[in-house]
Amino acid sequence: MRRLIGLTALLLLVLSSCSCAHKNTPSADQAPAMAPAAANAPLAAPAAAAPPAAPANPPSETGQAGGAQESADDAEKPESSDVSLERMASLPSDAQLPAGRWKPGVNYDPVVPEQPTSVEPGKVEVIEFMWLGCPHCYVLEPIMLKWLKSKPAYIEFVRVPVEWDATHRAHARLFYTLMALGRTDLIERAFDAIHQQHNPLIGASDEESLRIEQAWAAQQGVSAGDFANAYNSLLVSTNLQRAEDLALRYRVQYVPTLVINGKYVTDVSKAGSPANLIQLIDDLAASEHRH
């Protein structure tokens, strides 16, 4: 019942303000608004850098997601929608994507230039840029979880944590550590710990964040040694770098942000509601799958 009340309150927050921005996030040496006296955390994004070459396959998962937005002040500003739409208008009609219900520049924007994906032929990549500390991502998560159980098999869903500052970096490292351990089930528990139990899962330093996250993971049945080995592994470091590269390539300003097949970007605000977002993702992905 408490979880239902908490989710209802968060949903009201999403509807009243549909974006979580970088400028509103606490730094590593500030306790987040929901934090108690002690803290826990990780991730960050460089500014105004030229988009790097396409990274290798990001880790894929059939998991959870988000539903409003947190923005990145320091990230490179995206191309204006007018410019993007001019370029879209110059595309062949069959590349302008579904006519009718969804309008480019209103419900979704084209990614300019289009980005390569990391999925097999015949698959459509859907990326959700997210942050464990984002209340909007937390509200959207159960909706995404439900969708992931019934989504078309050709959709390959990938969650990518943002790395805008030390707090985001700490949470991103926790995210990829849990994935490296094969404990993706604990990602939902990490969301709960932050948003329901008021445990921000960050510390004032990287070392303290490790201790706090390690202690939390031990409560979930993960040995301290296994957690530390994964936390400091090359796999986790590589995944963090890939995540940062992807956020730069897509000029991610807010979380959650959804990218469909390297071509289209949208969010709950553009779609109009979480339910509309799911339908929009399905329609964009279906259109891509037909090409």
Side-chain angles (χ1 to χ4, degrees):
M1 187 65 181
R2 277 188 300 232
R3 178 177 174 83
L4 180 60
I5 293 171
L7 285 174
T8 301
L10 285 172
L11 182 58
L12 290 174
L13 171 63
V14 170
L15 294 177
S16 64
S17 170
C18 56
S19 61
C20 279
H22 181 314
K23 63 185 177 184
N24 295 326
T25 60
S27 62
D29 56 356
Q30 277 181 297
M34 76 274 292
N40 327 16
L43 258 212
N57 293 3
S60 178
E61 106 186 355
T62 305
Q64 28 275 262
Q69 292 182 302
E70 167 90 11
S71 85
D73 273 348
D74 298 330
E76 178 180 328
K77 296 296 183 187
E79 192 168 352
S80 74
S81 59
D82 287 345
V83 173
S84 295
L85 292 175
E86 284 177 14
R87 295 193 183 186
M88 172 169 267
S90 69
L91 295 175
S93 59
D94 64 350
Q96 293 185 28
L97 209 86
R101 178 177 182 183
W102 310 115
K103 296 179 175 58
V106 177
N107 303 120
Y108 65 91
D109 291 311
V111 175
V112 182
E114 175 184 327
Q115 295 295 310
T117 63
S118 299
V119 295
E120 297 175 358
K123 296 282 190 178
V124 175
E125 181 182 73
V126 174
I127 297 176
E128 183 214 2
F129 288 96
M130 46 75 70
W131 169 42
L132 288 173
C134 172
H136 310 293
C137 297
Y138 184 59
V139 168
L140 189 59
E141 181 188 10
I143 297 167
M144 295 296 286
L145 280 172
K146 182 178 179 181
W147 171 72
L148 287 166
K149 292 177 182 177
S150 60
K151 70 173 180 61
Y154 58 77
I155 292 180
E156 193 75 25
F157 179 65
V158 183
R159 287 199 300 168
V160 177
V162 293
E163 304 180 62
W164 292 328
D165 61 24
T167 296
H168 298 97
R169 282 192 297 274
H171 283 158
R173 185 172 286 276
L174 172 60
F175 175 91
Y176 282 126
T177 297
L178 296 176
M179 290 194 63
L181 288 165
R183 295 299 306 272
T184 56
D185 60 302
L186 295 185
I187 293 172
E188 186 177 1
R189 293 193 202 176
F191 264 125
D192 286 342
I194 294 169
H195 299 283
Q196 292 293 322
Q197 300 159 22
H198 308 298
N199 178 359
L201 293 176
I202 58 171
S205 65
D206 291 344
E207 293 75 16
E208 187 180 358
S209 289
L210 170 57
R211 288 194 298 272
I212 291 169
E213 292 172 2
Q214 195 174 36
W216 173 81
Q219 295 171 356
Q220 319 306 316
V222 178
S223 76
D226 287 346
F227 186 88
N229 288 339
Y231 187 92
N232 294 309
S233 68
L234 177 60
L235 175 61
V236 168
S237 295
T238 300
N239 286 339
L240 287 169
Q241 184 59 58
R242 287 170 176 166
E244 187 173 38
D245 290 346
L246 281 168
L248 278 172
R249 284 169 53 200
Y250 287 110
R251 305 179 182 91
V252 176
Q253 300 289 303
Y254 304 94
V255 291
T257 289
L258 281 296
V259 178
I260 295 85
N261 220 35
K263 291 185 180 180
Y264 310 104
V265 61
T266 188
D267 54 58
V268 173
S269 179
K270 285 184 174 64
S273 72
N276 283 353
L277 177 65
I278 297 301
Q279 187 61 59
L280 176 56
I281 292 170
D282 281 343
D283 288 349
L284 291 169
S287 177
E288 284 297 294
H289 189 241
R290 287 193 296 270
H291 283 78

